[in-house]
Amino acid sequence: MTMSLKLDALDALPRTPASDVKKLGWRGVMKTIARGGKVVVTNHNTPEAVILSAEEYGAILQALDAAGAAQRSALDTLRTRFDARLAALQADDAGARLRDAMRGPARLRGKVKAGATC
């Protein structure tokens, strides 16, 4: 199951000045977070930190893990194919098979080969 994560731009998040954080205390900040899940703490109207609820943080981690799993799966598939081809090249008879292939005429099996003819 793929989880879709929508992250808002920093400018779209609710803001609270650092002075309010000091004035209201942790409980006040947590009330703001309970309403929106996250809040940007500003200092002189410049964003300094984003405080997330544990649920928001967990959702971000889960979405990142899901995205990474898809990439790891694709990479594992490529690695398996590469390893199989490399094993064929490292086989004891690889040199002999290559020489045999180069000695005889090309077998096109009904396919057209593009390029100059000799």
Side-chain angles (χ1 to χ4, degrees):
M1 176 178 142
T2 39
M3 175 180 228
S4 176
L5 179 68
K6 184 186 176 301
L7 295 174
D8 298 320
L10 196 60
D11 294 338
L13 297 177
R15 292 172 169 248
T16 187
S19 59
D20 282 359
V21 173
K22 292 176 191 172
K23 198 179 342 173
L24 299 174
W26 186 249
R27 189 168 288 175
V29 172
M30 293 312 295
K31 284 181 183 177
T32 304
I33 292 172
R35 286 191 298 270
K38 49 197 162 261
V39 67
V40 176
V41 180
T42 61
N43 187 14
H44 299 288
N45 209 25
T46 301
E48 288 207 337
V50 177
I51 302 175
L52 304 170
S53 69
E55 289 176 17
E56 286 282 331
Y57 183 75
I60 290 170
L61 289 180
Q62 191 174 18
L64 288 172
D65 188 46
Q71 289 177 345
R72 284 189 300 274
S73 175
L75 185 58
D76 287 342
T77 301
L78 287 173
R79 184 177 293 120
T80 301
R81 288 175 48 201
F82 176 81
D83 289 344
R85 290 181 179 184
L86 183 60
L89 291 174
Q90 291 177 334
D92 291 336
D93 65 336
R97 285 186 290 128
L98 179 60
R99 281 188 291 280
D100 289 343
M102 298 304 285
R103 241 182 254 137
R107 288 175 257 166
L108 300 177
R109 296 185 186 117
K111 297 179 184 175
V112 176
K113 183 177 179 184
T117 59
C118 295

